[in-house]
């Protein structure tokens, strides 16, 4: 099993940056695809980015491409989400999740979820 805890959320102005962190427990962290999702009020939880454990290949939602970067440090059992050029529409609770699957852009593919961290982008 893997337990994940997110941190790094906060309030930022439009155009600003934040780096979210997700600390995972478990000896086999390196064998989990790690993903970030977000959920805005009244909306479905949506995929943001993922990092595949087997080869490090990353996937991004269209809105994240070019602005967000997912990375992981297996030695620290941590995955990051660097978010730049933030917009008010990026305001949401951001969740970190772990999946045993290689293709993991769907929330149904993830077995382990954190509690989320709030990101608020002011206009």
């Amino acid at each position: 099993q893997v337990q994940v805890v997110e941190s790094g959320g906060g309030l930022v102005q439009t155009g600003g940056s934040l780096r979210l962190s997700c600390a995972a427990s478990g000896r086999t962290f390196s064998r989990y695809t790690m993903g970030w999702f977000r959920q805005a009020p009244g909306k479905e939880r949506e995929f943001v980015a993922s990092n595949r454990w087997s080869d490090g290949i990353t996937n991004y939602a269209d809105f994240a491409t070019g602005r967000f970067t997912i990375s992981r440090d297996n030695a620290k059992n941590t995955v990051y989400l660097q978010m730049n050029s933030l917009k008010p529409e990026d305001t949401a609770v951001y969740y970190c999740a772990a999946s045993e699957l290689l293709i993991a852009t769907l929330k149904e593919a993830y077995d382990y979820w954190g509690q989320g961290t709030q990101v608020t982008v002011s206009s």
Side-chain angles (χ1 to χ4, degrees):
Q1 282 192 341
V2 175
Q3 292 183 329
V4 296
V5 178
E6 306 93 337
S7 62
L11 174 64
V12 64
Q13 291 184 335
T14 296
S17 298
L18 280 176
R19 188 177 81 156
L20 306 183
S21 298
C22 171
S25 64
R27 294 177 294 175
T28 58
F29 169 80
S30 62
R31 296 184 66 84
Y32 284 89
T33 291
M34 300 301 296
W36 286 96
F37 289 76
R38 71 183 188 182
Q39 188 167 16
K43 294 188 177 181
E44 293 287 321
R45 190 170 299 188
E46 62 178 349
F47 171 75
V48 176
S50 65
N51 182 296
R52 200 160 70 178
W53 68 264
S54 59
D55 50 16
I57 286 180
T58 56
N59 284 287
Y60 294 94
D62 287 345
F63 65 79
T65 300
R67 298 191 299 129
F68 296 1
T69 302
I70 187 172
S71 61
R72 67 192 293 162
D73 185 336
N74 287 335
K76 296 182 178 180
N77 281 13
T78 301
V79 63
Y80 306 96
L81 184 68
Q82 177 68 44
M83 304 187 295
N84 299 327
S85 302
L86 284 163
K87 306 174 183 179
E89 51 263 45
D90 294 318
T91 295
V93 177
Y94 283 71
Y95 296 90
C96 175
S99 171
E100 296 181 357
L101 302 178
L102 294 180
I103 300 175
T105 58
L106 300 177
K107 59 182 182 294
E108 292 80 7
Y110 289 81
D111 301 300
Y112 308 104
W113 292 84
Q115 293 300 308
T117 184
Q118 176 70 46
V119 171
T120 303
V121 184
S122 64
S123 58

